[in-house]
Amino acid sequence: MNGYYHIITYGCQMNVHDSEKIAGMLGEMGYINTDKIDNADIIVFNTCCIRENAENHAYGNIGMLKKLKSAKKDLIIAVGGCMPQQIGKADILHKKFPYVDIIFGTHNLGNLKELILEKRSGKKSVVEITDGGEVTEGDNPLRTSYPNAWVNIMYGCDNFCSYCIVPYVRGRERSRLPENILAEAQGLVKDGYKEITLLGQNVNSYGKGIDGASFPSLLNSIASFDGKFRLRFMTSHPKDFSEDLVKVIAANPKICNNVHLPVQSGSDRILKAMNRRYTSKQYLEKIEILKKYIPDCTVTTDLIVGFPGETDEDFKDTLNLVKEVGYSSAFTFVYSPRQGTRAAQMDNQIPEDISKARIMELVELVNSQTREQSAKYVGKTCEILCEGYDEKKDIFLGRDEYGRMGYFKSEENPVGEFVNIKITEANGVSLYGEKIR
Ligand code: 5AD
Ligand code: SF4
């Protein structure tokens, strides 16, 4: 053993899975995980920069380590992921936190072992940020979310939505070969994972540049594996969400009837300025196709308020679209200008008080829809894949196919099993029920 590691992860599922890869590498180097940061010999921050508050969280927490570092000279602190990948950010980090030992970008994650060895060989600080574009294979992640397993199918994004920093920090879109994805997914099912979530910034354009590869056919192949498991995917871009894909979801019971389809805004003017390349009408047509083939399919979304130039009228269009679709839940964000993106240069940035009032109204609408839909579940039976145990409340929890959280009591430990529960109470997105024997 080489000591203890502690990883702090910010941001999306892609980052959560990257942290599993980091944990795999640290394990191979002889480090062991610790939940107590004070015990760690190496602390890794896997950062996010999608909105300013994600960066501020990381700044605050890295800042708090100064004391620990001065008390423990051999402690290695590494900061990686999306934040340092931004142009000029590594320098800022280095100046602000001179006690950080290793700074690495999103494209340098595979090299972390070498960077740690370099640091341990006596180098003062190690910085590696390169522009990437490769697809790496042979990662050995230490998975932490059993019974769910994340599988990358593609990296990067070519869409350049005008508000979004992802294409700048994750690079151009590139897909893994289908045979490598299928082998990984097959291995996971054999190992007893009960839910596979395919990850990509824009899964619907999977396979570009690979002969014969497409997202619907990839999904179909995985869904035809033997065994009981669920298949999910995220994130879909509405412009590439096709009828073929809907048919594949409808035809395969293993693929969950729950789709995350970020709309961002209901106003055509704002969608154009966001460079989303669909209108609200085209979006609604996609929802119509989805409901035609899969009437019970739940839809979740991402919404941004306060994009530059958003008027009350534009915001009303968003509220109306939310009402029309009837999302089962939604992630709502206040627009955050990101340096280097087109939207950050736009006139008419919206004052904070207006954005705050809008997001409150939007959250209230989304929550009321969620409550209304959840209430309909009372008295029904749901199949929950048990994911964990809440010690404080002495209750097991998991999700149904449609993405709703279900809570129930159990004498035995059913983590990793499918459990039928009869819903007795609904509270927001949460359903409470009794296990059916
Ligand atoms: N400001 C606010 N929200 C953003 N998102 C992406 N960039 C920004 C930004 N600059 C949101 C989008 C996206 C989700 C992952 O984060 O809604 O779908
Ligand atoms: Fe960002 Fe748009 Fe790409 Fe999503 S599709 S990662 S919002 S640029």
Side-chain angles (χ1 to χ4, degrees):
M1 170 175 145
N2 235 328
Y4 291 99
Y5 71 79
H6 184 85
I7 303 174
I8 299 161
T9 309
Y10 303 91
C12 63
Q13 260 68 35
M14 194 73 80
N15 265 18
V16 172
H17 187 41
D18 279 351
S19 288
E20 294 182 333
K21 294 179 188 175
I22 293 173
M25 284 183 252
L26 294 171
E28 282 165 10
M29 292 182 84
Y31 288 100
I32 293 174
N33 179 45
T34 175
D35 292 338
K36 297 200 178 76
I37 196 163
D38 291 357
N39 286 350
D41 299 285
I42 177 160
I43 299 170
V44 183
F45 287 90
N46 189 10
T47 62
C48 167
C49 61
I50 195 123
R51 284 169 291 276
E52 196 183 0
N53 56 9
E55 291 201 291
N56 290 342
H57 274 146
Y59 278 140
N61 287 336
I62 302 167
M64 287 204 295
L65 288 190
K66 191 172 179 187
K67 252 197 188 154
L68 196 60
K69 178 78 179 184
S70 23
K72 198 169 172 182
K73 291 279 180 259
D74 287 343
L75 171 67
I76 297 177
I77 302 177
V79 178
C82 293
M83 203 164 128
Q85 188 69 42
Q86 298 168 89
I87 293 170
K89 212 36 152 266
D91 278 346
I92 295 174
L93 282 166
H94 194 59
K95 287 206 182 91
K96 221 172 150 85
F97 310 108
Y99 51 89
V100 166
D101 302 283
I102 301 171
I103 299 179
F104 62 102
T106 53
H107 306 298
N108 310 96
L109 185 136
N111 236 2
L112 184 59
K113 275 188 200 170
E114 283 75 21
L115 303 180
I116 294 171
L117 290 176
E118 225 180 286
K119 170 66 204 173
R120 290 208 317 223
S121 72
K123 213 167 163 198
K124 194 159 182 299
S125 63
V126 181
V127 179
E128 193 177 90
I129 318 276
T130 50
D131 287 335
E134 299 299 307
V135 171
T136 51
E137 291 295 342
D139 301 314
N140 203 0
L142 200 151
R143 298 187 182 272
T144 50
S145 53
Y146 176 83
N148 181 266
W150 314 105
V151 174
N152 288 120
I153 63 165
M154 61 197 301
Y155 301 94
C157 182
D158 284 350
N159 284 321
F160 289 94
C161 299
S162 63
Y163 51 82
C164 186
I165 196 144
V166 168
Y168 303 93
V169 293
R170 288 278 178 178
R172 294 293 66 73
E173 195 175 289
R174 53 219 184 266
S175 296
R176 286 178 73 194
L177 291 173
E179 54 267 36
N180 293 335
I181 299 169
L182 294 178
E184 183 175 346
Q186 182 72 84
L188 290 165
V189 174
K190 283 211 174 104
D191 285 348
Y193 285 89
K194 301 289 165 46
E195 187 171 89
I196 291 179
T197 306
L198 306 178
L199 291 179
Q201 253 83 32
N202 181 13
V203 291
N204 304 109
S205 64
Y206 167 77
K208 246 192 240 162
I210 303 176
D211 246 3
S214 76
F215 187 56
S217 89
L218 181 78
L219 263 187
N220 223 349
S221 307
I222 301 177
S224 64
F225 292 163
D226 286 340
K228 184 163 165 91
F229 66 94
R230 286 179 182 166
L231 187 52
R232 298 184 187 275
F233 55 87
M234 63 196 312
T235 293
S236 293
H237 193 300
K239 78 175 162 52
D240 304 313
F241 191 81
S242 66
E243 186 159 355
D244 277 352
L245 172 63
V246 174
K247 285 183 186 164
V248 168
I249 304 172
N252 286 289
K254 284 178 182 146
I255 306 175
C256 293
N257 289 349
N258 167 222
V259 173
H260 186 61
L261 203 57
V263 68
Q264 314 298 358
S265 168
S267 151
D268 289 342
R269 220 174 54 79
I270 296 295
L271 286 171
K272 193 155 198 292
M274 287 177 162
N275 192 31
R276 290 291 288 179
R277 286 174 277 181
Y278 53 82
T279 60
S280 55
K281 184 164 172 272
Q282 286 166 330
Y283 181 90
L284 290 169
E285 281 164 8
K286 305 263 174 173
I287 300 286
E288 210 172 291
I289 294 173
L290 187 62
K291 297 278 175 169
K292 184 175 113 193
Y293 286 92
I294 318 168
D296 68 342
C297 195
T298 51
V299 186
T300 56
T301 200
D302 294 343
L303 295 153
I304 298 177
V305 301
F307 184 84
E310 185 186 68
T311 61
D312 284 341
E313 231 11 77
D314 295 319
F315 177 60
K316 267 201 200 107
D317 288 345
T318 298
L319 295 175
N320 286 336
L321 183 132
V322 168
K323 282 180 202 152
E324 184 150 0
V325 177
Y327 295 109
S328 60
S329 72
F331 297 100
T332 50
F333 307 106
V334 170
Y335 166 73
S336 168
R338 304 284 65 209
Q339 209 184 355
T341 61
R342 272 203 290 129
Q345 314 286 325
M346 290 178 185
D347 296 334
N348 291 323
Q349 299 283 328
I350 303 297
E352 207 181 309
D353 55 335
I354 295 187
S355 294
K356 279 208 173 132
R358 285 182 187 162
I359 199 153
M360 275 162 65
E361 192 174 345
L362 183 61
V363 167
E364 187 38 54
L365 172 64
V366 169
N367 286 349
S368 70
Q369 286 187 338
T370 303
R371 279 195 298 269
E372 219 171 274
Q373 290 186 26
S374 293
K376 291 190 187 139
Y377 270 68
V378 176
K380 291 197 173 141
T381 300
C382 289
E383 187 183 52
I384 302 283
L385 171 57
C386 183
E387 289 171 10
Y389 172 64
D390 182 331
E391 238 171 83
K392 268 193 213 143
K393 294 185 183 147
D394 180 29
I395 203 160
F396 287 94
L397 53 111
R399 275 180 305 158
D400 71 356
E401 167 183 13
Y402 305 100
R404 295 202 165 81
M405 286 304 290
Y407 295 84
F408 60 97
K409 299 258 184 193
S410 172
E411 305 272 292
E412 319 84 62
N413 178 353
V415 171
E417 288 171 25
F418 291 93
V419 179
N420 284 319
I421 66 170
K422 184 152 191 207
I423 307 301
T424 50
E425 190 193 330
N427 186 359
V429 264
S430 307
L431 304 171
Y432 294 84
E434 276 157 18
K435 196 171 142 191
I436 297 173
R437 307 209 169 249

